[in-house]
Amino acid sequence: MVGFGPADLGSNPSRATSRIRNFINRFRFEDTMAIQNIAVLGAGQMGNGITQVAAAAGYNVTMIDIQQEYVDKGLATIERSLGKLVSKERMSQEDADATLARISLSTDRADCADCDLVVEAVPEIVDLKTSIFAELDSICKPETILASNTSSISISTIADATNRPDKVIGMHFMNPVPIMKLVEVINGDKTSTETNAAVIEASEKMGKIALSCNDSPGFVSNRILCPMLNEAILTLQEGVAEPEAIDGIMKLGMNHPIGPLALSDLIGLDTVLHIMNVLYEGLKQEKYAPAPLLIQMVEEGKLGRKTGQGFYSY
Ligand code: NAD
């Protein structure tokens, strides 16, 4: 899910960051499991970003999708992204080349077998995720940590599809992955402290700030973000203001980097609706009911940037 950057950590981001690190360190074990080889399942929007930051951090990464054209497309996105970093002098050509050299492509999930960590980033469909986790459990060595980048599906439900629920965890990267600093780490009801510590360590090695929470509908990020997006859509539906005014008020007035309607278009209105449904069904409160305009736009195929039409035209 798209989120906000470190500027939102308060008036002094570095002090806030160090307070957060100290908090995390209290729960850290001295000897975390050493992660060297990572597999990323799914080469889409999130999967290729996760592959890029993991490879840039020095991990050997196998990026896996169901068809060669999807992994090729994912790799082309990574090449473009690294090219931009080099042209802005934020990465040397040598480091970009070394990052690419650490990435292998595959269409065979059996290539996860010897990895220390698998990060799953396939579409947000419960049955797909549970069947993939059951398969990973049978393919991977016993020590492998199985992480999901799900935005809203219960980590405990995913973990129950395996015989290693202590090694299953949520590793929720934000979009766009190379830019956004946060990884929301979600502990299922059986996730071990060792698994949590290993994933925090790996996230930090990838240059991220990892913050933990417990499994609950929408976790922290989407439980707070999506009702705000939904409220902006209700505000539009009720004719309170035009989209540009709603977004401008939230950007200028609240110092948000992007307005809620533009952000909904970026995330995808189908995804926002899906998460609102998870909150509504999971928390059983009327305040989480998805806005009728959101439902209508999804039915009309106006999903935001990915279809060229949402609250704005692209
Ligand atoms: P996407 O559609 O861009 O990519 C998903 C990829 O998974 C596709 O390339 C698809 O071919 C591949 N895939 C499907 N089945 C597979 C299988 N069995 N094995 C391997 N690959 C398979 O989706 P995305 O936006 O990258 O989202 C992926 C996950 O990340 C979802 O759970 C989503 O909720 C979560 N997420 C998305 C965002 C966001 O803003 N898009 C942010 C945070 C988390």
Side-chain angles (χ1 to χ4, degrees):
M1 183 55 50
V2 180
F4 301 128
D8 295 81
L9 288 170
S11 57
N12 185 337
S14 64
R15 189 156 11 115
T17 306
S18 104
R19 271 207 311 270
I20 290 162
R21 284 228 165 89
N22 290 341
F23 176 78
I24 291 163
N25 284 337
R26 278 197 277 136
F27 295 97
R28 176 171 292 163
F29 277 35
E30 282 303 313
D31 295 315
T32 52
M33 297 167 237
I35 291 173
Q36 288 180 331
N37 299 314
I38 297 180
V40 177
L41 274 194
Q45 204 177 172
M46 297 304 291
N48 69 58
I50 297 165
T51 300
Q52 179 184 323
V53 296
Y59 292 112
N60 301 313
V61 189
T62 307
M63 182 168 70
I64 304 173
D65 209 303
I66 43 180
Q67 284 186 31
Q68 189 62 37
E69 67 173 290
Y70 299 151
V71 281
D72 289 343
K73 203 170 155 214
L75 184 66
T77 305
I78 295 172
E79 284 169 345
R80 265 196 313 278
S81 174
L82 291 173
K84 270 192 213 158
L85 291 175
V86 171
S87 68
K88 289 181 186 163
E89 296 184 353
R90 285 167 54 198
M91 187 184 252
S92 68
Q93 186 61 53
E94 202 182 18
D95 284 348
D97 293 343
T99 298
L100 285 173
R102 282 190 285 269
I103 299 174
S104 344
L105 305 181
S106 168
T107 53
D108 184 359
R109 287 190 293 279
D111 287 337
C112 293
D114 292 324
C115 287
D116 307 303
L117 169 68
V118 180
V119 184
E120 166 276 314
V122 308
E124 190 79 344
I125 302 165
V126 181
D127 292 349
L128 178 63
K129 305 243 189 217
T130 50
S131 73
I132 283 182
F133 272 72
E135 185 191 19
L136 289 173
D137 188 38
S138 65
I139 293 172
C140 295
K141 61 183 180 180
E143 308 85 88
T144 306
I145 293 175
L146 306 178
S148 176
N149 186 50
T150 178
S151 326
S152 60
I153 297 170
S154 159
I155 297 302
S156 305
T157 302
I158 294 173
D160 283 346
T162 74
N163 293 308
R164 61 177 91 190
D166 57 315
K167 294 196 176 62
V168 177
I169 193 161
M171 206 174 173
H172 185 200
F173 288 84
M174 307 288 124
N175 184 10
V177 179
I179 292 171
M180 299 299 293
K181 278 283 170 204
L182 175 70
V183 177
E184 186 178 33
V185 176
I186 304 119
N187 296 315
D189 51 19
K190 299 190 186 102
T191 306
S192 69
T193 37
E194 290 87 345
T195 299
N196 176 270
V199 161
I200 286 175
E201 189 175 298
S203 305
E204 288 183 351
K205 197 171 160 193
M206 293 179 206
K208 305 298 179 195
I209 295 170
L211 294 172
S212 299
C213 67
N214 294 324
D215 194 20
S216 175
F219 316 132
V220 170
S221 54
N222 286 324
R223 176 158 174 181
I224 298 175
L225 175 67
C226 288
M228 184 190 74
L229 304 183
N230 195 51
E231 201 62 38
I233 299 168
L234 282 169
T235 310
L236 176 68
Q237 176 188 314
E238 290 168 16
V240 179
E242 293 297 316
E244 292 78 4
I246 294 170
D247 279 350
I249 287 166
M250 295 305 287
K251 276 169 69 179
L252 298 171
M254 317 303 151
N255 222 8
H256 288 184
I258 181 172
L261 299 174
L263 182 54
S264 301
D265 278 354
L266 181 67
I267 294 167
L269 300 195
D270 51 340
T271 305
V272 177
L273 176 59
H274 174 81
I275 296 168
M276 287 313 297
N277 282 328
V278 167
L279 294 178
Y280 189 51
E281 284 155 24
L283 300 167
K284 303 199 185 333
Q285 286 185 50
E286 209 49 41
K287 68 175 178 175
Y288 298 112
L293 177 61
L294 174 63
I295 298 170
Q296 183 193 323
M297 288 179 70
V298 171
E299 281 170 2
E300 288 170 357
K302 295 175 183 163
L303 307 183
R305 281 177 187 260
K306 61 179 144 187
T307 58
Q309 183 63 50
F311 297 107
Y312 301 95
S313 298
Y314 300 91

